[in-house]
Amino acid sequence: MSPPIALPETFARAVAGLRSVATRPEIVMEEVGAPKRLAPFAFALSATVLRDDDEVATGRLILLHDPAGHEAWQGVLRLVSYVTADLESDLAADPLLPGVGWTWLTDALEAQDAGHRALGGTVTQTMSTRFGDLAGPPATGDIEIRASWTPLDDNLAPHLHAWCTLLASTAGLPPPGVTALADRRPATTG
């Protein structure tokens, strides 16, 4: 049996920071297997966003670490994000949606003071209409946000908070502590 591999201190601190974050109750997070070929060290989280017990968005956040550094990353750590959510068809057809989706990410990083560089990614919107034997519900849509960025240090808690904010925005959740009007329950009289 081979001895365990010692993790680089930077990577170990970064993973500890990710593990330390408590998320809002609608976001269920778990550690999952990370891709092995992208960097010498990797760690991954998967998230599901629930609204009224329905899955409305999912995501994956992968931490990559190359102690030798990576020119394209402009650093030794890299965060890779994938978020997808179902949307109402009128929202999914909005030509401004990709720009809004990208702003959800950049605003979240800024609001959480998640210092970063080399940010890049894509926002994809799709519409689906069922026909024939699959005919059924009206047209549906979704948004997919893929992005990666290099954190300025190994304190990744602000980055995970920003990623959770992105998940919540993509899923259409109100900010923490705010009740959406559609979620308000009528007062009972009696």
Side-chain angles (χ1 to χ4, degrees):
M1 190 153 123
S2 61
I5 297 172
L7 296 177
E9 189 175 319
T10 297
F11 181 71
R13 274 194 310 267
V15 170
L18 292 174
R19 286 179 171 155
S20 73
V21 173
T23 62
R24 55 191 287 180
E26 302 95 336
I27 300 175
V28 179
M29 192 134 1
E30 66 179 324
E31 292 181 23
V32 294
K36 305 250 187 250
R37 297 181 197 166
L38 299 177
F41 300 92
F43 175 80
L45 294 168
S46 176
T48 302
V49 182
L50 302 172
R51 187 173 49 222
D52 299 326
D53 295 326
D54 291 328
E55 183 179 297
V56 293
T58 59
R60 184 171 232 179
L61 184 68
I62 302 167
L63 167 63
L64 304 174
H65 175 58
D66 186 342
H70 197 288
E71 186 177 332
W73 298 356
Q74 300 175 23
V76 297
L77 295 172
R78 188 79 172 160
L79 288 166
V80 179
S81 168
Y82 169 79
V83 171
T84 186
D86 296 329
L87 298 174
E88 294 176 13
S89 59
D90 58 337
L91 184 57
D94 188 332
L96 300 176
L97 181 62
V100 170
W102 189 253
T103 301
W104 289 334
L105 172 61
T106 58
D107 285 356
L109 289 167
E110 183 178 323
Q112 296 297 329
D113 290 325
H116 63 280
R117 66 176 152 257
L119 174 65
T122 62
V123 177
T124 305
Q125 65 193 100
T126 59
M127 293 285 299
S128 299
T129 304
R130 299 170 185 250
F131 295 96
D133 289 345
L134 295 177
T140 60
D142 63 19
I143 184 171
E144 177 183 285
I145 302 170
R146 293 178 182 264
S148 63
W149 63 93
T150 299
L152 297 182
D153 58 38
D154 59 17
N155 175 15
L156 297 190
H159 295 270
L160 186 55
H161 283 295
W163 188 67
C164 288
T165 300
L166 170 64
L167 280 163
S169 296
T170 305
L173 297 180
V178 174
T179 302
L181 291 177
D183 292 344
R184 294 181 57 135
R185 308 285 187 248
T188 57
T189 57

